[in-house]
Amino acid sequence: MPGSSSAGSTPAVAVPPAGAVPRHALRLLGAAVAVIGAGQAIQVAIVPGLIAATGIDAATLGLLVALGVLPFMVGAPLWGRLSDRFGRRPVLLAGLVGAALAHALFAGAADLLAAGRISHGTGLGVMIVSRLIFGVAGSAIYPVGQAWAVDLAGPERRLAAAGALAAGLSVGRLAGPAVALALLMVGPVAPLWGLSAIGAASAVLVMVGLGGAAAAAGRGGAAVAAGRPPRAAEGMMRPFLVVGIGTFAMGMMQFVFGLHAMARLDMAAPAASQLVAIVMAAAAVVMLGIQTLVLPRIGTRPALAARAWAAGLVLLPLSIALGWWGGAWWAFVASAMLTGAGMAVVVAMLFARVTADPRLRGTRAGLLNSAQTAGYAAGSAVGGLYAVGAALPFGLALAALLVAVVGGGGRPPPPGCPPLFPHPPNHPTNPKKNTPQTR
């Protein structure tokens, strides 16, 4: 079991005494990483106005966005490894500050380009540099935050920690469009300046609210008893594969929903865009509800958690099938809600599995984020096949999810790997159960 000193198990970690870490620390950490979710929503909302203001065409702007995504796949596990070695707080601060500066650099270039004060080539060059900086720095924020959340919550509450951080991401995604709408009244580039300010505010939140005992709990590998850790991917390929396939299907669905609504429901483009906005909001609300209300309650109940895991695996292919059928608007909304529910459960439980070993917590959280990023990128690319044949992307996503269902269920973890669903301290099978619990 995690935290025991028996052979083949995770070594004990020196953490602050019970009650030393403020109970609100997890909520503060979730609020800090909400900048990632807000950024995703704001960047999508400002595309039309940014194109009109700067003269950058849609294809070039799409490449700029992709430049910010690609470094995530490499940077996330590297930042996670650094946090395992040097602690979570300094690495998270570096990511937040770097991302805020990158957004400010992009916004400044866009404003100067819109005003005609710099040439098109110069403005584009600055934007490319800013997106690369964002990709490198921003890739630290979520995986390091995830690892720190588990440090704060403790090994028996890994699901609650995963839910708290994912809820922060969902809140950011829900708040992002409102922030963009308000700042667009100032100007087409104003939401980017707002995003930079949000990143800076998140860094201040971490500096002020997550020091002391919270920082000590997130010391990473520096607080772990001596011992050679296993390789980062040892025994973890199945979890990485399952989460990659799941996010591949989710990315594909997001890409084709508007096109599919136009074809199946005979909708004009503006109406289809409105439906997609409703669909995405519904999925985000469902995910937020599961992350805040369900996951914290099942983390210490292995039997219930196992049933939730199985249900999550089944919901994902069902959501793809319902999305393809899509004969009415409610089918689209229901498909997105099922996808959100399945992903909220599956990703959180896989995260709880891969972060059980504190020696590799940040590294494996980074690898899991890389798998998610790769899955979204592949899903968007496959979604482009909708123009070739409407059934093609749905069929590929459904086949991939069926592989994930088969590969993600049933078999126990290999020897030496922590169980997916940890037993609570007083469970009969827990080797640490040697003293009665007191009230």
Side-chain angles (χ1 to χ4, degrees):
M1 291 299 298
S4 70
S5 58
S6 59
S9 63
T10 303
V13 181
V15 296
V21 178
R23 298 186 65 180
H24 65 276
L26 267 179
R27 292 192 291 271
L28 288 178
L29 190 57
V33 303
V35 63
I36 294 294
Q40 293 170 350
I42 288 174
Q43 288 170 4
V44 171
I46 67 172
V47 167
L50 199 59
I51 291 174
T54 63
I56 297 175
D57 60 83
T60 302
L61 191 58
L63 289 175
L64 285 173
V65 173
L67 278 176
V69 173
L70 291 176
F72 267 71
M73 297 176 61
V74 178
L78 294 180
W79 284 113
R81 185 179 295 274
L82 286 175
S83 78
D84 285 334
R85 184 172 180 180
F86 299 108
R88 318 295 182 203
R89 190 168 182 259
V91 177
L92 180 58
L93 282 171
L96 289 168
V97 171
L101 291 175
H103 286 310
L105 187 61
F106 191 101
D111 268 336
L112 291 174
L113 193 58
R117 296 181 180 179
I118 57 175
S119 67
H120 184 83
T122 301
L124 193 58
V126 174
M127 288 178 174
I128 289 173
V129 172
S130 72
R131 290 301 295 169
L132 290 174
I133 294 173
F134 169 75
V136 173
S139 61
I141 297 173
Y142 197 60
V144 174
Q146 286 180 308
W148 197 358
V150 177
D151 296 334
L152 292 171
E156 306 296 346
R157 300 187 67 245
R158 298 199 304 272
L159 273 179
L165 262 288
L169 199 66
S170 297
V171 168
R173 287 172 177 159
L174 289 172
V179 171
L181 183 61
L183 292 179
L184 281 171
M185 292 187 288
V186 178
V189 184
L192 287 175
W193 289 111
L195 187 55
S196 178
I198 293 172
S202 295
V204 172
L205 183 65
V206 171
M207 290 182 64
V208 175
L210 292 172
R219 282 182 292 169
V224 180
R228 183 180 179 86
R231 287 178 296 178
E234 185 177 333
M236 296 294 163
M237 292 310 297
R238 282 173 57 211
F240 296 146
L241 181 63
V242 171
V243 78
I245 290 175
T247 50
F248 158 76
M250 194 171 185
M252 188 282 297
M253 292 284 280
Q254 291 178 354
F255 189 92
V256 304
F257 252 154
L259 299 174
H260 200 51
M262 292 173 66
R264 279 296 177 93
L265 306 181
D266 195 24
M267 280 185 168
S273 296
Q274 292 174 353
L275 178 60
V276 171
I278 294 172
V279 161
M280 298 300 293
V285 169
V286 169
M287 294 182 77
L288 183 60
I290 290 176
Q291 290 154 357
T292 56
L293 301 177
V294 178
L295 294 179
R297 289 169 170 78
I298 66 176
T300 55
R301 302 171 66 181
L304 185 58
R307 288 194 289 271
W309 165 256
L313 286 176
V314 172
L315 285 178
L316 291 175
L318 284 179
S319 70
I320 294 291
L322 185 59
W324 161 248
W325 172 67
W329 67 268
W330 60 263
F332 284 78
V333 175
S335 174
M337 293 174 71
L338 291 179
T339 303
M343 287 300 295
V345 171
V346 169
V347 172
M349 291 190 173
L350 288 175
F351 169 75
R353 165 74 180 277
V354 304
T355 57
D357 190 331
R359 298 168 297 178
L360 294 168
R361 186 163 289 157
T363 306
R364 285 177 169 169
L367 287 171
L368 198 67
N369 273 259
S370 294
Q372 289 179 274
T373 302
Y376 275 118
S380 298
V382 168
L385 297 176
Y386 190 87
V388 178
L392 187 56
F394 285 96
L396 290 174
L398 183 59
L401 282 174
L402 291 176
V403 171
V405 170
V406 174
R411 292 182 294 170
C417 289
L420 180 60
F421 312 112
H423 294 304
N426 207 37
H427 193 276
T429 63
N430 195 324
K432 296 174 64 179
K433 184 199 173 189
N434 50 25
T435 57
Q437 289 184 320
T438 58
R439 295 185 180 274

